[in-house]
Amino acid sequence: MFKVNDNYLKLPGSYLFSTVGKKSRAYQAANPEKQVISLGIGDVTQPLAPAIIEALHRAVDEMGDAKTFRGYAPDLGYEFLRNAIAKNDYADRGCRIEADEIFVSDGAKCDSSNIQEIFGLDNKIAVCDPVYPVYVDSNVMAGRTGTYDAATGMWSDVIYMPCTADNGFAPELPEKTPDLIYLCFPNNPTGATVTKAQLQEWVDYANKVGAVIIYDAAYEAYISEENVPHSIYECEGARTCAIELKSFSKNAGFTGTRLGYTVIPKELKSADVSLHALWARRHGTKYNGAPYIVQRAGEAVYSPEGKAQLKEQVKYYMDNAKIILEGLKEAGYCVSGGVNAPYIWLKTPEKMTSWEFFDYLLENANVVGTPGSGFGPSGEGYFRLTAFGSRENTIAAVERIKRI
């Protein structure tokens, strides 16, 4: 008789955002007269920029002509897109990343999960706490996390790096030595950032202990302050210890269009084994490439018109973040984030648990957010709101919260 992967059975409950969606839909079904506003899941609401739409149309026309039709994409992605990424996201920032070190994919979520396949199961992972759930859950599925303690919400073989108000929601170097270190800055869910000097400490540490940093830079377009790095490759020595994940979802609105990429420098090795070569083998075997029309749309992100239009979109969302941040402060909440990231991280009032506050907010303000405990033990007592809603809904949601 066939057998299942028992590691899946270790996962407690359903995926965080699936649970949020299920509870929200159940409330709406029971209260059809109520207008529920969601500031929970980090999904964009503004349409694709005109430059991107134009590129999509041109590419679709090409696919309708035998002379310009494209079939399977190259394993790493089309050269026109990888060259644009190498120049704009790296060379223009003083980072040495070659086009053939860039692997185009359908998004950072998949890459952040799939990347652990090229590492042995006996590697010890370290994660920020709270953390984007995919980092931990994908390692649970692989069998790398040990046993789960429901009382603490922690896995026995995971090194948790608490990110609390006491340390500015930035992790400190762990006491136990990890093999894989997951970092995300600007951070999801807290919206926190680290300075270049702080990130350099992590790069130096990883090189010293022989660890690999898996660096999720999905929100770098929202950075507004100086001395906050947009890429880990701004740090000296990162080419020998870091893998970077990037997404077009939040900077260009591709949550439904799907496009991202992973960077693995050729110097990054385990003894004499190149991680670049391993990921290339995995990529070529298990992935047939992002669609040609989507990669052309990605190329348009780096056009002068695309850059200008997307700068306005980012500003739109960050203006929303400012509305939420200032509105909650006026209402007496303890809040952070919302400056270099489209997330606002707030302390739940009156010692409510995260899920108690979720229910309270849904029932009394008809507003949906995300319970902090869903991101890890240190997220308990906190709550995440996103700035990705429409301006109208953002203002309405804040006013509702202020009234309760």
Side-chain angles (χ1 to χ4, degrees), residues 76 79 81-104 215 230-235 237-246 261-268 276 302:
L76 271 66
E79 191 170 339
L81 177 57
R82 290 186 288 110
N83 285 338
I85 292 169
K87 179 185 184 302
N88 290 275
D89 288 349
Y90 296 104
D92 288 354
R93 291 176 178 150
C95 304
R96 184 172 66 87
I97 294 295
E98 303 299 328
D100 63 357
E101 295 175 318
I102 297 165
F103 296 81
V104 176
Y215 192 76
H230 289 255
S231 168
I232 195 168
Y233 300 115
E234 294 177 34
C235 295
R239 286 183 58 86
T240 57
C241 71
I243 294 171
E244 185 160 278
L245 313 175
K246 293 288 288 292
Y261 65 86
T262 291
V263 177
I264 304 186
K266 293 177 182 177
E267 287 97 316
L268 183 50
H276 180 277
Y302 299 103

Side-chain angles (χ1 to χ4, degrees), residues 300-322:
V301 167
Y302 299 103
S303 69
E305 299 82 6
K307 287 181 179 179
Q309 292 162 9
L310 294 177
K311 184 177 181 180
E312 288 302 310
Q313 281 199 358
V314 167
K315 183 180 183 302
Y316 178 91
Y317 292 129
M318 290 310 294
D319 285 346
N320 282 351
K322 185 177 181 180

